[in-house]
Amino acid sequence: MSLKKSESICPICGQDNNCKHGQGGCWCDTVKIQKYVLDLVPEDKRGKACICKSCIEKYQK
């Protein structure tokens, strides 16, 4: 199963999120993301794609 193009794009910065969710495991399966970071995702993109590692690191500091 491969991701749709829209699922491979970070909804915050628009870069590749390197997500492999649903393909045997991914780094995103074990990351805890603070609510205030999730709130940065535009409403129309919520629950459709993972936030990339760069944005998680940038906004969780």
Side-chain angles (χ1 to χ4, degrees), residues 15-44:
Q15 300 300 313
D16 188 345
N17 62 17
N18 293 311
C19 180
K20 305 292 184 239
H21 188 76
Q23 299 177 27
C26 182
W27 64 269
C28 70
D29 292 330
T30 60
V31 175
K32 290 214 179 243
I33 303 172
Q34 299 295 322
K35 183 181 180 325
Y36 66 88
V37 177
L38 294 173
D39 289 343
L40 296 172
V41 177
E43 196 167 319
D44 64 325

Side-chain angles (χ1 to χ4, degrees):
M1 178 176 144
S2 64
L3 296 174
K4 295 178 200 169
K5 179 67 175 160
S6 63
E7 294 173 343
S8 66
I9 302 298
C10 174
I12 295 176
C13 70
Q15 300 300 313
D16 188 345
N17 62 17
N18 293 311
C19 180
K20 305 292 184 239
H21 188 76
Q23 299 177 27
C26 182
W27 64 269
C28 70
D29 292 330
T30 60
V31 175
K32 290 214 179 243
I33 303 172
Q34 299 295 322
K35 183 181 180 325
Y36 66 88
V37 177
L38 294 173
D39 289 343
L40 296 172
V41 177
E43 196 167 319
D44 64 325
K45 295 182 179 180
R46 289 185 183 168
K48 296 180 181 173
C50 291
I51 299 169
C52 70
K53 283 183 183 180
S54 295
C55 283
I56 291 169
E57 290 171 0
K58 177 179 177 180
Y59 293 109
Q60 288 199 153
K61 291 185 176 184

